[in-house]
């Protein structure tokens, strides 16, 4: 539905995976499918998602050096097994990783509509600015998303 359900603005030194728990806490209800880029491929992120929903389908692009391990989530091991058997492109299709592109498109919409940089100078005000901006994008989304058609 293209609605932004969580927003977390941090300093550059904070890794994506460090705020995953905060983002997940903002989501209404527990989803049954979680898709994220490789920045979230950490044991802690898998554990947090599984804590919120034991039956969740987790689709996170693994790191290049990822190996199957009993110490990691069964969902991650499933991903690695599929990649071993069908290759990365096969995994991409089988697990429908393409849905992650919606997050990237949302960031593109944010930058095109709101602007590529923050207007406030300090982090607290920037966080408020990000919350307001995502509320605006969500309002635009409820009014209707563009329908693109190939013309040539």
């Amino acid at each position: 539905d293209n609605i932004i359900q969580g927003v977390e603005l941090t300093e550059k030194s904070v890794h994506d995976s460090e705020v995953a728990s905060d983002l997940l806490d903002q989501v209404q209800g527990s989803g049954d499918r979680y898709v994220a880029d490789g920045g979230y491929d950490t044991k802690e992120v898998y554990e947090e998602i599984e804590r919120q929903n034991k039956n969740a389908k987790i689709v996170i692009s693994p790191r290049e050096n990822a190996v199957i391990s009993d110490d990691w989530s069964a969902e991650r091991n499933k991903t690695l097994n599929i990649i071993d058997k069908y290759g990365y492109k096969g995994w991409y299709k089988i697990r429908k990783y393409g849905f992650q592109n919606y997050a990237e498109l949302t960031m593109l919409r944010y930058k095109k509509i709101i602007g590529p940089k923050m207007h406030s100078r300090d982090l607290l005000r920037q966080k408020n600015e990000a919350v307001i901006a995502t509320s605006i994008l969500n309002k635009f989304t409820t009014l209707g998303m563009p329908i693109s058609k190939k013309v040539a």
Side-chain angles (χ1 to χ4, degrees):
D1 59 2
N2 299 313
I3 296 293
I4 301 168
Q5 296 184 22
V7 59
E8 192 69 36
L9 183 72
T10 64
E11 295 178 7
K12 288 181 181 180
S13 61
V14 178
H15 192 271
D16 291 350
S17 64
E18 294 177 53
V19 295
S21 178
D22 296 332
L23 285 170
L24 289 168
D25 287 343
Q26 294 176 43
V27 176
Q28 299 294 317
S30 63
D32 52 349
R33 193 160 186 277
Y34 295 81
V35 182
D37 66 28
Y40 294 93
D41 184 37
T42 67
K43 205 183 279 192
E44 293 77 22
V45 170
Y46 280 91
E47 288 170 355
E48 180 63 24
I49 292 170
E50 289 174 342
R51 183 186 66 74
Q52 291 191 13
N53 181 353
K54 290 209 177 285
N55 300 316
K57 301 284 186 257
I58 305 170
V59 183
I60 298 175
S61 182
R63 296 185 199 131
E64 264 186 55
N65 61 350
V67 293
I68 294 171
S69 170
D70 290 338
D71 294 337
W72 278 77
S73 162
E75 282 291 308
R76 183 171 190 258
N77 287 337
K78 182 191 241 179
T79 288
L80 295 173
N81 281 325
I82 293 170
I83 291 172
D84 283 346
K85 190 170 183 178
Y86 300 103
Y88 185 81
K89 286 184 178 180
W91 166 79
Y92 188 97
K93 287 179 91 172
I94 291 167
R95 295 293 292 216
K96 299 179 181 154
Y97 183 66
F99 283 106
Q100 200 277 331
N101 290 334
Y102 288 114
E104 302 300 333
L105 288 172
T106 299
M107 288 308 301
L108 177 67
R109 279 188 320 137
Y110 184 104
K111 290 176 181 177
K112 291 288 184 185
I113 295 170
I114 305 300
K117 50 187 167 180
M118 306 304 287
H119 301 284
S120 303
R121 292 181 184 227
D122 66 83
L123 186 62
L124 180 61
R125 286 189 174 110
Q126 288 176 346
K127 287 182 178 200
N128 290 334
E129 184 179 328
V131 170
I132 292 166
T134 55
S135 295
I136 291 168
L137 282 178
N138 282 342
K139 183 63 174 176
F140 287 174
T141 300
T142 60
L143 294 173
M145 291 292 287
I147 300 171
S148 301
K149 293 185 180 184
K150 188 174 181 178
V151 291

